[in-house]
Amino acid sequence: MRTAKKQFIFMAIKYASAIMLTILAFSSMHMKKYFVGSLLELGIIFILSNILITKHRRTAYILNSILIFLYNVQQIVLTFGMSYVSFIMVDNLGSLEDLQGRAFEYIAFAVIGTAISFLPITEVALIRLGQQVYLSAFLLMAWGFTLIYGNAYSPMYGYVSLGMQELQHAQQNRFIENQENMTSEFYQSDIGSSVQKPAELPDHPNVILIFTEGLSQGVIEDSRNLTPTIAAYEDNSLNFDNYYNHTAATYRGLIGQLYSGYQLDNYDSNTLISLQEILKEWGYDTTFINVEPNNYKFTKYLNSFQFDHLLMPETDNMLSDKEAYALLWDTVQGKEQENKPFFTAMYTVGTHVSFDSPDEIFGDGSDAELNKFHNLDAQFNTFMDKFNESTLAENTVVIFTTDHATFVDDAFRTAFPDYQRSDGFLDRIPLFIYYKGIPSEHIDVRGRNSLCLAPTILDYLDISAPN
């Protein structure tokens, strides 16, 4: 008797926890369809397990535990990531260290959620109607719900969708492997000229290219004035409006922009002609600053870009934005002493999802999401103040953009409750080209995306080459 009561308590904890996770996911998403779709499937899991347990107790327990585990995973991911498990999420598991800002929170949910999923279950006597009737009713409601609203709100269909994404990816891989000279149809003998090179711009100016981690244009335009420096430079530069990211996440975003081509896998090398390769041919010394020297996979990835130099600071930690901009300043000052134009690119990681600012804060500092963007702006401001007061400003172009749009997670939704986005990975992003003394200009690119970065820079510099 005591054993049966104990098992009932464990089962109650198991389902109550699943319901609490569902409520938590709803509190993040504020979408009733996810809530209703999830509870219908949880009801099906409960009734199906209750039917099986009378004849196949062990099978029922195993099936129930697996289904509840899969259900809980989707609710936890939905809470933090604002979607069910996706291919991009799985593909980026190799960069878990970039989630360290909320590592304890993520790990706690993962461990507790997993442990609760495997608590024992026992039979529950359902009153009045037979169990098959209850199961049929829930299946009918779930079927009707799917017919009306689609399967996007189903936790279990989320795994089917993930499998379909994996299958599509495998098919793309096989297709590519069977192609010869796949890129030949995209070959161009030159880079077309859309704008005249500004008369004030010297021949072969130095180029500083800054990729900021996950920055949407809407963050810059936020009414709270989080990034006043970046906003001011947009107004005083050649600025591109309605410009979008072409992909996510970082491993695809950086290489895609420098080579002007989509990337299938995170760690693929790219066989296209890159921005840095063309600039090398025009006599530029090329450098990429690696702010994550502790990340072996990221370092290997950056090496594949084939810059002349991959600058690796002597530290076992990733650099804060303050440290990164200080290193950028020291680097370009050193390059100025060489009798050669330089192209120096850098990716800053301080605005990554889950991070807080170690330096500047916004307001009372209670919101990590706001802090990190405000800190980025402060460090960019410090760099640009030094730059404008130096002789570098006389013959150097500064280009500011991002690797991809800001990722929409629960922290972003809380910090930007009125921000309207239809896609968690796609958004307007910043791109401006600054040269001291050139009149500002805004160009509406009407939805063009970051694959256009390399030809845009080369056109601005009046550089052409086969590609």
Side-chain angles (χ1 to χ4, degrees):
M1 194 67 158
R2 288 181 181 178
T3 302
K5 185 178 180 180
K6 190 175 180 181
Q7 286 183 330
F8 182 83
I9 292 172
F10 279 139
M11 187 177 72
I13 293 172
K14 188 173 192 173
Y15 282 103
S17 298
I19 293 171
M20 287 176 64
L21 286 175
T22 309
I23 294 172
L24 190 61
F26 173 69
S27 69
S28 290
M29 292 292 293
H30 301 291
M31 293 184 68
K32 293 178 182 178
K33 294 171 187 174
Y34 280 106
F35 185 71
V36 174
S38 295
L39 289 184
L40 285 173
E41 292 193 4
L42 186 62
I44 292 171
I45 293 171
F46 169 72
I47 298 168
L48 181 62
S49 302
N50 210 40
I51 292 172
L52 284 175
I53 201 169
T54 57
K55 297 180 179 179
H56 307 283
R57 177 171 291 274
R58 184 173 179 81
T59 301
Y61 167 71
I62 294 172
L63 178 64
N64 175 270
S65 296
I66 292 173
L67 291 176
I68 291 292
F69 171 75
L70 294 174
Y71 179 92
N72 287 347
V73 166
Q74 293 287 41
Q75 300 308 317
I76 292 170
V77 172
L78 189 62
T79 298
F80 292 112
M82 316 307 286
S83 74
Y84 291 136
V85 179
S86 67
F87 177 79
I88 290 180
M89 292 178 183
V90 175
D91 205 32
N92 280 280
L93 287 177
S95 296
L96 284 175
E97 66 273 13
D98 288 339
L99 300 178
Q100 60 182 293
R102 299 175 69 184
F104 177 80
E105 195 175 351
Y106 296 150
I107 292 170
F109 268 87
V111 171
I112 295 172
T114 300
I116 290 174
S117 300
F118 290 88
L119 288 174
I121 60 172
T122 188
E123 183 182 1
V124 177
L126 299 178
I127 57 174
R128 297 184 182 178
L129 301 176
Q131 295 190 95
Q132 284 78 9
V133 175
Y134 284 110
L135 180 61
S136 298
F138 268 86
L139 286 171
L140 187 61
M141 287 188 289
W143 177 69
F145 181 83
T146 301
L147 278 180
I148 297 171
Y149 299 111
N151 48 33
Y153 307 102
S154 162
M156 295 306 166
Y157 183 81
Y159 291 107
V160 176
S161 177
L162 177 62
M164 292 169 63
Q165 293 171 47
E166 294 277 4
L167 179 61
Q168 182 184 36
H169 182 264
Q171 290 172 339
Q172 290 171 331
N173 255 326
R174 287 196 294 271
F175 173 77
I176 290 171
E177 289 170 358
N178 293 328
Q179 298 299 307
E180 292 184 8
N181 301 320
M182 186 177 179
T183 59
S184 59
E185 64 180 288
F186 302 104
Y187 176 81
Q188 299 185 56
S189 60
D190 59 9
I191 294 166
S193 179
S194 296
V195 295
Q196 287 295 112
K197 177 185 173 185
E200 301 89 342
L201 193 67
D203 291 333
H204 305 117
N206 305 314
V207 179
I208 298 172
L209 174 58
I210 300 168
F211 292 105
T212 299
E213 161 61 35
L215 180 61
S216 288
Q217 180 62 29
V219 173
I220 301 169
E221 296 172 355
D222 189 86
S223 60
R224 289 165 291 188
N225 203 22
L226 296 172
T227 59
T229 303
I230 296 171
Y233 274 95
E234 283 189 335
D235 288 337
N236 290 282
S237 303
L238 174 59
N239 187 64
F240 299 91
D241 297 321
N242 294 313
Y243 175 72
Y244 285 77
N245 61 303
H246 76 280
T247 188
T250 302
Y251 283 96
R252 289 179 170 88
L254 295 181
I255 202 168
Q257 294 184 69
L258 290 169
Y259 287 80
S260 194
Y262 282 98
Q263 194 76 4
L264 184 60
D265 284 319
N266 276 347
Y267 307 115
D268 283 350
S269 58
N270 199 309
T271 59
L272 299 177
I273 306 299
S274 66
L275 171 62
Q276 57 271 22
E277 185 176 345
I278 290 175
L279 289 178
K280 281 185 198 180
E281 293 174 357
W282 281 70
Y284 280 75
D285 179 76
T286 64
T287 301
F288 198 103
I289 297 175
N290 180 9
V291 300
E292 296 186 68
N294 59 322
N295 187 336
Y296 168 75
K297 288 183 178 179
F298 190 61
T299 300
K300 185 179 179 182
Y301 161 77
L302 293 180
N303 267 316
S304 74
F305 292 3
Q306 297 183 330
F307 278 76
D308 291 321
H309 316 283
L310 179 60
L311 186 58
M312 301 273 288
E314 295 181 2
T315 176
D316 292 330
N317 302 313
M318 65 175 63
L319 301 188
S320 67
D321 283 355
K322 183 176 183 178
E323 294 168 328
Y325 274 104
L327 179 58
L328 175 61
W329 176 246
D330 290 342
T331 302
V332 295
Q333 272 196 309
K335 293 294 179 184
E336 187 184 20
Q337 307 308 314
E338 302 173 9
N339 189 25
K340 193 175 187 181
F342 66 80
F343 169 48
T344 298
M346 179 180 73
Y347 158 75
T348 62
V349 73
T351 46
H352 200 282
V353 62
S354 85
F355 281 17
D356 196 353
S357 166
D359 298 301
E360 303 298 322
I361 62 172
F362 183 79
D364 63 4
S366 60
D367 193 316
E369 199 78 0
L370 303 182
N371 290 341
K372 68 184 183 183
F373 291 120
H374 190 63
N375 179 62
L376 157 71
D377 188 77
Q379 307 314 326
F380 178 69
N381 180 60
T382 299
F383 174 82
M384 291 305 295
D385 281 349
K386 292 178 182 177
F387 173 81
N388 282 315
E389 293 170 1
S390 73
T391 54
L392 271 167
E394 298 172 5
N395 63 344
T396 304
V397 170
V398 176
I399 302 167
F400 183 95
T401 189
T402 179
D403 58 343
H404 55 74
T406 306
F407 176 62
V408 178
D409 65 350
D410 61 319
F412 181 86
R413 282 281 181 92
T414 301
F416 299 89
D418 300 323
Y419 200 123
Q420 298 299 316
R421 280 176 65 175
S422 59
D423 190 289
F425 294 100
L426 180 68
D427 200 7
R428 290 182 301 128
I429 59 172
L431 171 61
F432 63 81
I433 301 175
Y434 173 78
Y435 180 72
K436 189 176 181 179
I438 287 185
S440 62
E441 182 181 1
H442 282 249
I443 298 177
D444 186 351
V445 299
R446 296 176 295 177
R448 287 179 173 84
N449 66 36
S450 50
L451 289 180
C452 299
L453 180 72
T456 297
I457 293 173
L458 292 167
D459 181 23
Y460 184 79
L461 300 175
D462 207 17
I463 289 177
S464 182
N467 64 87

